[in-house]
Amino acid sequence: MNDASAASPRRSSLHDDVILVLDFGSQTAQLIARRVREAGVFSLLVPPSVSIQEVREYRPKGIILSGGPSSVYEAGAPTVDKRVFELGVPVLGICYGMQLACHLMGSKVEAGAKREFGRASLEIGAASGLFKALPGATSVWMSHGDQVQGLERDFETLARTSTCPHAAVKHRRLPFWGVQFHPEVTHTPHGVEMIQNFVHEVCGCHGSWKMANFLEAEVSRVRDVVGDSRVICGLSGGVDSSVCAALLARAIGPQLTCVFVDNGLLRKNERQLVESTFRGHFDTDLRVIDASAEFLGDLAGVTDPQEKRKRVGRRFIEVFKSATRDIKDASFLAQGTLYPDVIESGHNAAGTSAGIKLHHNVGGLPPKHELGFELIEPLRDLFKDEVRRLGEVLGLPQTIVWRHPFPGPGLSVRVLGEVTRTKLDVLRDCDEILLEEIIAADLYDKTSQVFAVLLPVKSVGVMGDGRTYHNTVAIRAVETQDFMTADWARVPYAVLANISSRIINEVKPRDGEGVNRVVYDISSKPPATIEWE
């Protein structure tokens, strides 16, 4: 499928400074790109198979080689064109990236006598370059089994740990630096400074990239890609699709048609909210389609979460095809896909990260010949916090910009097991009470995502003088910066007690589907995901 949002040399050329991140399959590769952007420099993730000519066309100020799950000495391990080190462009290798570069330039890499996972104490030889203005000893986060054991003589050691003699290195002749640890993660206290040092001190970037620059560049790119064609945008009312629609409205104005699909899997009163908000806010064509019966019919009897996502995705496209037959010159389908969606669907730049779950707007789409549209995804390179900042630049209301995320497949992945209209109604009532109490406790803006999950678990309870045998509802509240990692929110006991009491007492049983037990999810991501399915 042709992706009109894929990174390209022309796209990167719209920015003054660009750092390329070669993604070798690390689950934290996207964090490297994010840290670079936080330093005010535009970054792009590209596969390590990128040709040397393509690298030159990007005109990068620097290149970062990410970590990865492979061993450099294994057959089929991902590699990179050695000429990348001879471009005169500074290169930073992180973990696997360091090992690969050292291996390609004559050093020996093999399994370490002791694997390092977790915090380690780093001793820095000289506080310059990567380590400018850093203390002589600091904590870093290690996650490796292999090490550079025999360092080729053109390298010098910059830092070490008690079990890793070459924890940071520099090539004497070529502009290459390598670190065995992960500066991109929050567990490395001075990691942000190290990346900033690489970007500014080593690469000489100016740090002038801002969200306003991204908006200007993306508006220009969308206009070039779309031309005179019409774009159809799937509008859900969530942050991502709202920002996507606002950006497209800025770029192409009357060429945009927004289609809101009521799939029967929405939050309570969601359809009314979307219609009242977007008909007044956007000066564009908004069409509302009620397809709840079709979606629920597709989900009847389905319990597997991946199959749910696929069916929602397929029906989503079918509804769009039907709804847009009378829209002339419609050639593009716009979606608010974000980079974390791409990563979690296993579609990372290297194509080597594990597929955690399918997103209906990534892995669940049919082939192009069934779709009938080219995809355009203007937010595909952005993280959630960046999308919110973009929404503010576009002038969207705070109530939209800072709304908690909602999954593309809707409540189908929050009703565990088979999805029925009755279960959805019960869950909607639970979720409404939950959000009311979170807002009343002034916790909505202090949490990143809060929602209820209806579990396929029934338990015995007592209400009044009677025995009940009803469902269990799990409450999920998390705090996160980027939605790639998350910690469970420490909601006060009194608030949880009010939530539990109101749900059990106020949610009316329907067709035997009531709630008599509420539990609180205290799992972090990883190892859990934010959504249950």
Side-chain angles (χ1 to χ4, degrees):
M1 182 184 299
N2 179 25
D3 178 6
S5 291
S8 67
R10 186 202 171 279
R11 184 171 188 171
S12 66
S13 69
L14 297 172
H15 307 282
D16 293 334
D17 295 335
V18 176
I19 298 292
L20 288 186
V21 180
L22 274 61
D23 180 4
F24 289 92
S26 170
Q27 291 293 332
T28 61
Q30 72 284 351
L31 289 180
I32 302 172
R34 185 170 176 270
R35 300 298 182 230
V36 173
R37 295 184 192 181
E38 289 171 352
V41 179
F42 187 67
S43 60
L44 284 172
L45 281 95
V46 296
S49 58
V50 61
S51 72
I52 200 68
Q53 180 58 35
E54 288 174 311
V55 172
R56 290 193 181 99
E57 290 174 0
Y58 280 110
R59 295 185 295 172
K61 284 291 189 71
I63 298 170
I64 299 178
L65 312 181
S66 83
S70 304
S71 293
V72 299
Y73 47 78
E74 291 178 344
T79 188
V80 67
D81 191 320
K82 286 181 62 175
R83 290 175 291 176
V84 76
F85 304 110
E86 299 171 354
L87 293 173
V89 174
V91 180
L92 172 63
I94 295 176
C95 197
Y96 179 86
M98 169 185 164
Q99 295 168 10
L100 177 62
C102 291
H103 170 71
L104 292 175
M105 290 188 278
S107 298
K108 186 176 182 180
V109 178
E110 56 188 24
K114 183 178 181 181
R115 305 172 76 188
E116 284 188 303
F117 292 96
R119 291 189 185 275
S121 180
L122 184 75
E123 297 178 18
I124 299 173
S128 61
L130 281 181
F131 303 117
K132 181 179 179 180
L134 266 61
T138 183
S139 293
V140 295
W141 189 260
M142 293 283 196
S143 180
H144 66 97
D146 295 340
Q147 287 187 14
V148 177
Q149 302 282 15
L151 196 63
E152 203 268 340
R153 63 183 181 181
D154 280 338
F155 285 90
E156 61 178 299
T157 299
L158 302 178
R160 68 187 72 243
T161 71
S162 60
T163 59
C164 184
H166 309 298
V169 301
K170 180 183 182 300
H171 199 277
R172 300 180 193 276
R173 179 176 54 87
L174 300 174
F176 173 78
W177 289 257
V179 294
Q180 182 58 70
F181 53 88
H182 288 270
E184 72 273 20
V185 300
T186 56
H187 305 299
T188 299
H190 292 286
V192 170
E193 292 99 310
M194 294 176 195
I195 291 178
Q196 289 177 342
N197 281 340
F198 176 72
V199 168
H200 298 303
E201 299 296 326
V202 177
C203 299
C205 295
H206 301 294
S208 59
W209 182 76
K210 297 178 177 61
M211 194 51 65
N213 301 97
F214 175 87
L215 174 59
E216 180 182 351
E218 192 61 20
V219 164
S220 175
R221 191 191 69 84
V222 167
R223 287 172 179 163
D224 287 347
V225 169
V226 171
D228 296 329
S229 299
R230 176 165 289 275
V231 177
I232 302 165
C233 179
L235 184 60
S236 69
V239 178
D240 306 338
S241 69
S242 299
V243 174
C244 179
L247 187 152
L248 291 169
R250 172 79 65 90
I252 58 173
Q255 294 169 242
L256 174 66
T257 294
C258 291
V259 177
F260 173 75
V261 177
D262 182 354
N263 56 15
L265 307 170
L266 305 173
R267 288 168 282 201
K268 196 166 186 177
N269 300 322
E270 183 83 2
R271 176 173 171 176
Q272 295 89 327
L273 175 65
V274 168
E275 289 194 84
S276 62
T277 300
F278 290 96
R279 286 197 190 282
H281 187 80
F282 290 105
D283 184 19
T284 189
D285 178 25
L286 173 63
R287 307 188 181 192
V288 178
I289 309 298
D290 187 345
S292 55
E294 290 87 342
F295 278 91
L296 293 179
D298 290 343
L299 293 170
V302 178
T303 59
D304 179 73
Q306 299 292 64
E307 184 62 26
K308 289 181 184 179
R309 290 175 180 271
K310 289 179 180 178
R311 294 196 180 201
V312 170
R314 293 192 189 104
R315 178 58 64 177
F316 177 79
I317 296 301
E318 290 304 314
V319 170
F320 259 81
K321 288 167 66 176
S322 176
T324 57
R325 286 187 183 124
D326 62 338
I327 301 177
K328 295 181 180 179
D329 303 320
S331 302
F332 294 91
L333 172 62
Q335 297 187 134
T337 306
L338 305 191
Y339 192 69
D341 300 337
V342 179
I343 292 294
E344 288 196 338
S345 296
H347 292 209
N348 70 317
T352 52
S353 68
I356 298 170
K357 61 185 179 182
L358 290 176
H359 289 258
H360 86 286
N361 52 354
V362 181
L365 287 177
K368 176 184 173 183
H369 69 275
E370 295 181 24
L371 181 61
F373 303 105
E374 298 287 350
L375 280 182
I376 185 165
E377 298 172 308
L379 311 181
R380 187 183 178 94
D381 292 335
L382 298 184
F383 301 98
K384 177 66 76 171
D385 59 320
E386 294 176 319
V387 171
R388 294 189 193 280
R389 291 203 301 273
L390 179 59
E392 291 179 326
V393 172
L394 284 162
L396 286 170
Q398 293 291 302
T399 52
I400 294 176
V401 172
W402 292 100
R403 194 177 195 194
H404 285 186
F406 190 64
L411 296 181
S412 70
V413 292
R414 293 181 181 173
V415 172
L416 272 59
E418 183 179 7
V419 179
T420 66
R421 193 178 296 273
T422 299
K423 290 180 180 179
L424 289 167
D425 288 339
V426 169
L427 180 58
R428 273 189 272 265
D429 288 348
C430 295
D431 202 57
E432 183 181 45
I433 291 170
L434 167 62
L435 291 178
E436 284 178 356
E437 291 298 319
I438 290 294
I439 292 171
D442 195 27
L443 293 173
Y444 189 82
D445 292 338
K446 299 173 184 175
T447 50
S448 304
Q449 194 168 358
V450 179
F451 58 91
V453 182
L454 187 65
L455 306 183
V457 176
K458 291 192 174 184
S459 64
V460 174
V462 177
M463 299 186 73
D465 294 325
R467 174 186 183 275
T468 62
Y469 190 60
H470 287 318
N471 297 298
T472 301
V473 163
I475 302 302
R476 182 73 157 141
V478 299
E479 298 171 352
T480 179
Q481 293 294 318
D482 49 34
F483 288 86
M484 296 306 299
T485 61
D487 194 12
W488 60 278
R490 273 61 172 176
V491 177
Y493 292 157
V495 178
L496 291 174
N498 287 340
I499 294 169
S500 176
S501 177
R502 285 195 59 194
I503 287 176
I504 292 173
N505 286 285
E506 296 179 25
V507 175
K508 304 298 183 184
R510 299 173 176 83
D511 300 326
E513 301 289 353
V515 177
N516 65 0
R517 194 174 299 272
V518 176
V519 298
Y520 189 55
D521 183 349
I522 59 170
S523 308
S524 296
K525 175 186 178 179
T529 55
I530 295 178
E531 296 288 345
W532 278 50
E533 287 190 344

